Amino acid sequence: MSMPQPDALCREQIVKGLARLPWAQQLRVEQTVDSTNRLARRLAEEGCPSGTAVLADRQTAGRGRLGRSFYSPGGEGLYLSVVLRPKEPADKLMQLTALAAVAACDAVENVCGVRPQIKWTNDLVLGGKKLAGILTELSVAPEDRRVRYAIVGIGVNVHQTAFPDEISDTATSLKLHTDRDHSRNELAAALLRSFFRMDGLRDIGAEMKRYAENCITVGRRVQLVRADTRTEALALAVQPDGSLLVRYDDGTEQSVFCGEVSVRGMYGYI
Ligand code: BTN
């Protein structure tokens, strides 16, 4: 007889942690999927209500930003995607990712007692290493640029004590950082509560201020990595629309948007 897996995902436990949150009945917990974002997208196309969420123990094709993959071993990380049907137009995508990052920091802090910082635009960082990534995807109606749905997907490294070579210098987990075990079920419930709160936010300006306060990239020299160029710059500020204001060495300034660049630190990941 096999032993129950420690910290196995348990829908019932998560639903309990959601109290009377209207999203509670729309949670789907899976063992293995290719990508929770992909499954969430399928559910959205089929017309599922806003707040439908997909959580998986393992992803075989977890996806990150700019076509990268996201390391998603079974039993170790938390892989969660939520379908939202926001009223705001498509140009708010940057803000949605930013708001999700702040919401995720709140959830990690509530459950684990440590507050991550944010590496612009969508990475949660602990001790200078990547703890989590967020991938926001939109479906936009071509006629009027209305957002049909948004998928907010987050992957958090929870129990990992080692990572593949390619990310071993830059990745961390809650276990590695705090030297304690944390419950994926509690964290999933906290994330959903936090995303629910975010979805109802009216004062986005105030939340963007919190994003800027939590953003570790501001004030650092960075490399802006585009398809075939790397440009050095100083990160000056996060703008209210979520873009990053940078100053190049020739003195010119520019706002950069998340879809176009990846930001690297000068001396490593941050
Ligand atoms: C990034 O680091 O660039 C973003 C990573 C996002 C990973 C999460 S895991 C759950 C959801 N499903 C995916 O395929 N990706 C997101």
Side-chain angles (χ1 to χ4, degrees):
M1 203 177 79
S2 65
M3 290 288 290
Q5 184 194 343
D7 195 30
L9 294 181
C10 172
R11 185 179 184 281
E12 208 186 326
Q13 209 178 313
I14 299 168
V15 167
K16 237 187 231 165
L18 294 179
R20 280 190 292 278
L21 202 77
W23 289 1
Q25 295 319 311
Q26 294 152 227
L27 170 66
R28 196 161 151 166
V29 178
E30 300 287 334
Q31 204 51 36
T32 302
V33 297
D34 50 6
S35 150
T36 54
N37 263 35
R38 224 171 125 170
L39 177 52
R41 182 180 275 262
R42 208 185 76 208
L43 298 176
E45 290 290 343
E46 288 167 3
C48 73
S50 188
T52 299
V54 180
L55 179 70
D57 181 67
R58 167 173 174 258
Q59 297 185 118
T60 54
R63 295 188 284 126
R65 230 162 55 85
L66 304 171
R68 301 193 189 109
S69 63
F70 187 80
Y71 176 61
S72 311
E76 308 265 14
L78 183 148
Y79 319 111
L80 174 70
S81 300
V82 185
V83 178
L84 299 176
R85 297 193 183 273
K87 304 270 178 295
E88 294 82 7
D91 58 14
K92 293 277 151 63
L93 167 68
M94 291 276 296
Q95 287 182 335
L96 183 57
T97 303
L99 299 186
V102 176
C105 287
D106 291 344
V108 170
E109 184 177 21
N110 284 341
V111 172
C112 310
V114 282
R115 185 166 187 90
Q117 290 174 297
I118 301 165
K119 175 176 172 282
W120 189 88
T121 177
N122 62 339
D123 286 356
L124 268 56
V125 172
L126 275 177
K129 295 186 170 190
K130 177 165 173 166
L131 173 77
I134 297 173
L135 176 64
T136 311
E137 297 179 286
L138 288 192
S139 168
V140 179
E143 332 69 84
D144 56 1
R145 303 285 299 153
R146 193 178 47 83
V147 177
R148 294 172 58 232
Y149 59 82
I151 310 288
V152 177
I154 179 163
V156 187
N157 301 324
V158 180
H159 297 300
Q160 288 92 332
T161 51
F163 290 92
D165 286 350
E166 316 85 78
I167 56 170
S168 62
D169 288 342
T170 54
T172 192
S173 68
L174 289 167
K175 170 75 183 176
L176 282 172
H177 187 81
T178 63
D179 204 21
R180 282 190 293 123
D181 289 315
H182 298 275
S183 155
R184 290 188 299 169
N185 294 317
E186 273 180 42
L187 188 56
L191 282 166
L192 286 167
R193 288 195 304 265
S194 230
F195 287 152
F196 179 74
R197 179 182 162 272
M198 167 191 86
D199 193 41
L201 273 178
R202 291 293 155 257
D203 190 354
I204 291 182
E207 213 61 10
M208 287 308 293
K209 273 199 194 122
R210 292 185 71 213
Y211 178 90
E213 284 159 17
N214 283 260
C215 183
I216 199 173
T217 309
V218 173
R220 286 177 189 261
R221 281 196 66 78
V222 293
Q223 296 180 60
L224 304 173
V225 185
R226 296 187 171 88
D228 45 10
T229 58
R230 273 170 194 258
T231 324
E232 290 182 19
L234 174 66
L236 295 177
V238 176
Q239 314 265 56
D241 65 0
S243 62
L244 185 69
L245 180 67
V246 299
R247 184 188 300 135
Y248 297 107
D249 292 346
D250 66 4
T252 55
E253 293 184 4
Q254 187 185 27
S255 291
V256 294
F257 290 86
C258 66
E260 47 172 326
V261 292
S262 139
V263 169
R264 290 266 137 211
M266 291 301 296
Y267 310 105
Y269 164 66
I270 47 169

